[in-house]
Amino acid sequence: MNTRFTYLYRDASNWKNWGEIIVSGWRNDAEERLKKTLDYGEFFIADQVNIPQKFFATIDDDDHCWHEFHSLEKTDQEANDSRTIDELLTAFEKVAQSEMGWHEYFRVA
């Protein structure tokens, strides 16, 4: 059993670009742990936790670097990220607990 992490980027005009990664393993407490690390319980900066950024090709001054958590769900699909669910949660926890936390910047990869 693996975990599908679904997220999105919502630009200044409310256009959405969805993404997902699949990590190995599953934890019943994963969503609770994850939400504790997110800004306002839902926002994160994908680049800081090595998750693909979902920006649009055209970016204007009103856009931002934040992505939104959507869901975690069990899946039988093969992992497409080298991390386990524990490693993914640890990455989020490290950023949230760091001195800088989720720090805003804009860098399109």
Tab-separated table of all heavy atoms in Angstrom, residues 4-32:
chain	number	residue	atom	x	y	z
A	4	ARG	N	-0.837	8.427	-2.056
A	4	ARG	CA	-0.924	9.464	-3.089
A	4	ARG	C	-1.099	10.804	-2.379
A	4	ARG	O	-2.048	11.012	-1.639
A	4	ARG	CB	-2.103	9.221	-4.022
A	4	ARG	CG	-2.243	10.342	-5.077
A	4	ARG	CD	-3.438	10.154	-5.997
A	4	ARG	NE	-3.255	8.952	-6.804
A	4	ARG	CZ	-4.035	7.874	-6.728
A	4	ARG	NH1	-5.047	7.832	-5.886
A	4	ARG	NH2	-3.804	6.838	-7.487
A	5	PHE	N	-0.175	11.710	-2.634
A	5	PHE	CA	-0.209	13.073	-2.106
A	5	PHE	C	-0.660	13.970	-3.253
A	5	PHE	O	0.038	14.100	-4.250
A	5	PHE	CB	1.200	13.462	-1.621
A	5	PHE	CG	1.345	14.895	-1.187
A	5	PHE	CD1	1.151	15.240	0.130
A	5	PHE	CD2	1.700	15.881	-2.098
A	5	PHE	CE1	1.300	16.570	0.542
A	5	PHE	CE2	1.851	17.200	-1.702
A	5	PHE	CZ	1.648	17.541	-0.373
A	6	THR	N	-1.852	14.543	-3.132
A	6	THR	CA	-2.399	15.393	-4.191
A	6	THR	C	-2.367	16.843	-3.720
A	6	THR	O	-2.713	17.142	-2.576
A	6	THR	CB	-3.838	14.981	-4.543
A	6	THR	OG1	-3.843	13.587	-4.881
A	6	THR	CG2	-4.376	15.783	-5.714
A	7	TYR	N	-1.942	17.722	-4.620
A	7	TYR	CA	-1.781	19.139	-4.288
A	7	TYR	C	-2.058	19.973	-5.525
A	7	TYR	O	-2.260	19.436	-6.619
A	7	TYR	CB	-0.379	19.399	-3.746
A	7	TYR	CG	0.732	19.139	-4.743
A	7	TYR	CD1	1.384	20.201	-5.362
A	7	TYR	CD2	1.123	17.847	-5.082
A	7	TYR	CE1	2.400	19.982	-6.280
A	7	TYR	CE2	2.136	17.616	-5.998
A	7	TYR	CZ	2.767	18.674	-6.594
A	7	TYR	OH	3.766	18.460	-7.512
A	8	LEU	N	-2.079	21.287	-5.365
A	8	LEU	CA	-2.310	22.144	-6.506
A	8	LEU	C	-1.646	23.493	-6.317
A	8	LEU	O	-1.318	23.892	-5.197
A	8	LEU	CB	-3.816	22.352	-6.738
A	8	LEU	CG	-4.563	23.128	-5.662
A	8	LEU	CD1	-5.519	24.127	-6.305
A	8	LEU	CD2	-5.338	22.170	-4.785
A	9	TYR	N	-1.474	24.157	-7.443
A	9	TYR	CA	-1.063	25.559	-7.452
A	9	TYR	C	-2.262	26.335	-7.964
A	9	TYR	O	-2.844	25.990	-8.996
A	9	TYR	CB	0.143	25.800	-8.362
A	9	TYR	CG	0.498	27.264	-8.436
A	9	TYR	CD1	1.082	27.894	-7.345
A	9	TYR	CD2	0.188	28.021	-9.552
A	9	TYR	CE1	1.379	29.248	-7.384
A	9	TYR	CE2	0.481	29.372	-9.598
A	9	TYR	CZ	1.068	29.977	-8.507
A	9	TYR	OH	1.345	31.314	-8.532
A	10	ARG	N	-2.656	27.372	-7.236
A	10	ARG	CA	-3.761	28.238	-7.629
A	10	ARG	C	-3.165	29.623	-7.874
A	10	ARG	O	-2.653	30.252	-6.951
A	10	ARG	CB	-4.788	28.294	-6.504
A	10	ARG	CG	-6.022	29.090	-6.811
A	10	ARG	CD	-6.897	29.243	-5.569
A	10	ARG	NE	-7.087	28.024	-4.833
A	10	ARG	CZ	-8.194	27.264	-4.878
A	10	ARG	NH1	-9.202	27.628	-5.642
A	10	ARG	NH2	-8.277	26.182	-4.147
A	11	ASP	N	-3.235	30.096	-9.097
A	11	ASP	CA	-2.609	31.383	-9.400
A	11	ASP	C	-3.500	32.550	-8.977
A	11	ASP	O	-4.592	32.366	-8.432
A	11	ASP	CB	-2.175	31.472	-10.864
A	11	ASP	CG	-3.298	31.685	-11.860
A	11	ASP	OD1	-4.470	31.842	-11.444
A	11	ASP	OD2	-3.009	31.712	-13.061
A	12	ALA	N	-3.042	33.753	-9.228
A	12	ALA	CA	-3.742	34.958	-8.791
A	12	ALA	C	-5.117	35.107	-9.442
A	12	ALA	O	-5.991	35.767	-8.901
A	12	ALA	CB	-2.891	36.191	-9.086
A	13	SER	N	-5.328	34.473	-10.577
A	13	SER	CA	-6.625	34.521	-11.252
A	13	SER	C	-7.497	33.315	-10.904
A	13	SER	O	-8.535	33.102	-11.513
A	13	SER	CB	-6.426	34.579	-12.766
A	13	SER	OG	-5.730	35.751	-13.111
A	14	ASN	N	-7.041	32.513	-9.945
A	14	ASN	CA	-7.759	31.333	-9.462
A	14	ASN	C	-7.728	30.163	-10.439
A	14	ASN	O	-8.520	29.235	-10.335
A	14	ASN	CB	-9.198	31.657	-9.055
A	14	ASN	CG	-9.736	30.642	-8.063
A	14	ASN	OD1	-8.998	30.064	-7.282
A	14	ASN	ND2	-11.037	30.412	-8.101
A	15	TRP	N	-6.821	30.181	-11.413
A	15	TRP	CA	-6.606	29.020	-12.264
A	15	TRP	C	-5.857	27.992	-11.448
A	15	TRP	O	-4.972	28.344	-10.648
A	15	TRP	CB	-5.817	29.397	-13.517
A	15	TRP	CG	-6.588	30.247	-14.457
A	15	TRP	CD1	-6.571	31.620	-14.535
A	15	TRP	CD2	-7.514	29.807	-15.443
A	15	TRP	NE1	-7.422	32.057	-15.511
A	15	TRP	CE2	-8.030	30.957	-16.093
A	15	TRP	CE3	-7.975	28.556	-15.845
A	15	TRP	CZ2	-8.956	30.881	-17.119
A	15	TRP	CZ3	-8.899	28.486	-16.867
A	15	TRP	CH2	-9.376	29.637	-17.487
A	16	LYS	N	-6.165	26.717	-11.642
A	16	LYS	CA	-5.556	25.657	-10.839
A	16	LYS	C	-4.754	24.711	-11.720
A	16	LYS	O	-5.172	24.364	-12.817
A	16	LYS	CB	-6.643	24.881	-10.100
A	16	LYS	CG	-7.438	25.738	-9.149
A	16	LYS	CD	-8.660	24.979	-8.645
A	16	LYS	CE	-9.585	25.876	-7.883
A	16	LYS	NZ	-10.454	26.672	-8.751
A	17	ASN	N	-3.633	24.294	-11.201
A	17	ASN	CA	-2.793	23.304	-11.855
A	17	ASN	C	-2.512	22.218	-10.814
A	17	ASN	O	-1.886	22.487	-9.800
A	17	ASN	CB	-1.503	23.952	-12.354
A	17	ASN	CG	-0.812	23.115	-13.399
A	17	ASN	OD1	-1.372	22.165	-13.942
A	17	ASN	ND2	0.424	23.464	-13.700
A	18	TRP	N	-2.993	21.013	-11.066
A	18	TRP	CA	-2.926	19.915	-10.100
A	18	TRP	C	-1.653	19.094	-10.249
A	18	TRP	O	-1.105	18.979	-11.343
A	18	TRP	CB	-4.134	19.003	-10.283
A	18	TRP	CG	-5.407	19.657	-9.897
A	18	TRP	CD1	-6.204	20.452	-10.693
A	18	TRP	CD2	-6.022	19.644	-8.619
A	18	TRP	NE1	-7.276	20.910	-9.980
A	18	TRP	CE2	-7.203	20.426	-8.701
A	18	TRP	CE3	-5.704	19.037	-7.406
A	18	TRP	CZ2	-8.050	20.605	-7.621
A	18	TRP	CZ3	-6.557	19.214	-6.329
A	18	TRP	CH2	-7.707	19.989	-6.438
A	19	GLY	N	-1.225	18.508	-9.145
A	19	GLY	CA	-0.085	17.612	-9.156
A	19	GLY	C	-0.264	16.518	-8.130
A	19	GLY	O	-1.107	16.617	-7.229
A	20	GLU	N	0.523	15.479	-8.275
A	20	GLU	CA	0.513	14.414	-7.273
A	20	GLU	C	1.838	13.689	-7.310
A	20	GLU	O	2.520	13.647	-8.334
A	20	GLU	CB	-0.641	13.433	-7.500
A	20	GLU	CG	-0.502	12.569	-8.721
A	20	GLU	CD	-1.642	11.570	-8.884
A	20	GLU	OE1	-2.781	11.854	-8.457
A	20	GLU	OE2	-1.385	10.502	-9.454
A	21	ILE	N	2.193	13.168	-6.160
A	21	ILE	CA	3.315	12.250	-6.068
A	21	ILE	C	2.817	11.031	-5.304
A	21	ILE	O	1.845	11.117	-4.535
A	21	ILE	CB	4.559	12.858	-5.369
A	21	ILE	CG1	4.247	13.270	-3.930
A	21	ILE	CG2	5.137	14.016	-6.171
A	21	ILE	CD1	5.476	13.621	-3.109
A	22	ILE	N	3.469	9.915	-5.527
A	22	ILE	CA	3.128	8.694	-4.799
A	22	ILE	C	4.383	8.222	-4.094
A	22	ILE	O	5.429	8.025	-4.716
A	22	ILE	CB	2.586	7.606	-5.747
A	22	ILE	CG1	1.318	8.128	-6.433
A	22	ILE	CG2	2.318	6.319	-4.977
A	22	ILE	CD1	0.787	7.245	-7.521
A	23	VAL	N	4.278	8.114	-2.774
A	23	VAL	CA	5.385	7.657	-1.947
A	23	VAL	C	5.050	6.266	-1.416
A	23	VAL	O	3.883	5.876	-1.346
A	23	VAL	CB	5.676	8.635	-0.783
A	23	VAL	CG1	6.141	9.978	-1.315
A	23	VAL	CG2	4.472	8.799	0.132
A	24	SER	N	6.065	5.524	-1.039
A	24	SER	CA	5.817	4.166	-0.557
A	24	SER	C	5.334	4.181	0.891
A	24	SER	O	5.738	5.017	1.695
A	24	SER	CB	7.067	3.296	-0.712
A	24	SER	OG	8.134	3.834	0.008
A	25	GLY	N	4.442	3.265	1.177
A	25	GLY	CA	3.923	3.096	2.529
A	25	GLY	C	2.677	3.926	2.797
A	25	GLY	O	2.269	4.755	1.990
A	26	TRP	N	2.094	3.654	3.932
A	26	TRP	CA	0.882	4.351	4.375
A	26	TRP	C	0.918	4.460	5.894
A	26	TRP	O	1.402	3.559	6.576
A	26	TRP	CB	-0.367	3.587	3.953
A	26	TRP	CG	-1.625	4.146	4.547
A	26	TRP	CD1	-2.305	3.656	5.627
A	26	TRP	CD2	-2.330	5.309	4.129
A	26	TRP	NE1	-3.398	4.444	5.897
A	26	TRP	CE2	-3.440	5.471	4.987
A	26	TRP	CE3	-2.140	6.238	3.109
A	26	TRP	CZ2	-4.345	6.517	4.856
A	26	TRP	CZ3	-3.039	7.277	2.980
A	26	TRP	CH2	-4.129	7.411	3.844
A	27	ARG	N	0.415	5.561	6.405
A	27	ARG	CA	0.251	5.769	7.852
A	27	ARG	C	-1.146	6.323	8.078
A	27	ARG	O	-1.546	7.268	7.399
A	27	ARG	CB	1.252	6.787	8.389
A	27	ARG	CG	2.696	6.355	8.387
A	27	ARG	CD	3.539	7.441	9.029
A	27	ARG	NE	3.130	7.650	10.406
A	27	ARG	CZ	3.816	7.239	11.476
A	27	ARG	NH1	4.952	6.613	11.306
A	27	ARG	NH2	3.369	7.484	12.689
A	28	ASN	N	-1.845	5.770	9.047
A	28	ASN	CA	-3.191	6.264	9.358
A	28	ASN	C	-3.168	7.685	9.891
A	28	ASN	O	-4.131	8.424	9.715
A	28	ASN	CB	-3.890	5.336	10.350
A	28	ASN	CG	-4.285	4.024	9.705
A	28	ASN	OD1	-4.558	3.964	8.509
A	28	ASN	ND2	-4.296	2.970	10.487
A	29	ASP	N	-2.078	8.083	10.526
A	29	ASP	CA	-1.988	9.423	11.117
A	29	ASP	C	-1.298	10.434	10.207
A	29	ASP	O	-1.018	11.556	10.607
A	29	ASP	CB	-1.263	9.369	12.460
A	29	ASP	CG	0.207	8.972	12.338
A	29	ASP	OD1	0.627	8.432	11.279
A	29	ASP	OD2	0.955	9.188	13.301
A	30	ALA	N	-1.044	10.064	8.963
A	30	ALA	CA	-0.247	10.912	8.065
A	30	ALA	C	-0.897	12.269	7.815
A	30	ALA	O	-0.228	13.302	7.870
A	30	ALA	CB	0.013	10.199	6.744
A	31	GLU	N	-2.187	12.302	7.535
A	31	GLU	CA	-2.830	13.581	7.216
A	31	GLU	C	-2.826	14.505	8.431
A	31	GLU	O	-2.573	15.703	8.299
A	31	GLU	CB	-4.255	13.375	6.707
A	31	GLU	CG	-4.848	14.664	6.188
A	31	GLU	CD	-6.064	14.456	5.315
A	31	GLU	OE1	-6.242	13.359	4.752
A	31	GLU	OE2	-6.834	15.414	5.189
A	32	GLU	N	-3.077	13.960	9.588
A	32	GLU	CA	-3.049	14.770	10.817
A	32	GLU	C	-1.662	15.359	11.048
A	32	GLU	O	-1.522	16.547	11.331
A	32	GLU	CB	-3.457	13.903	12.012
A	32	GLU	CG	-3.447	14.628	13.330
A	32	GLU	CD	-3.799	13.696	14.481
A	32	GLU	OE1	-4.435	12.657	14.250
A	32	GLU	OE2	-3.409	14.018	15.621
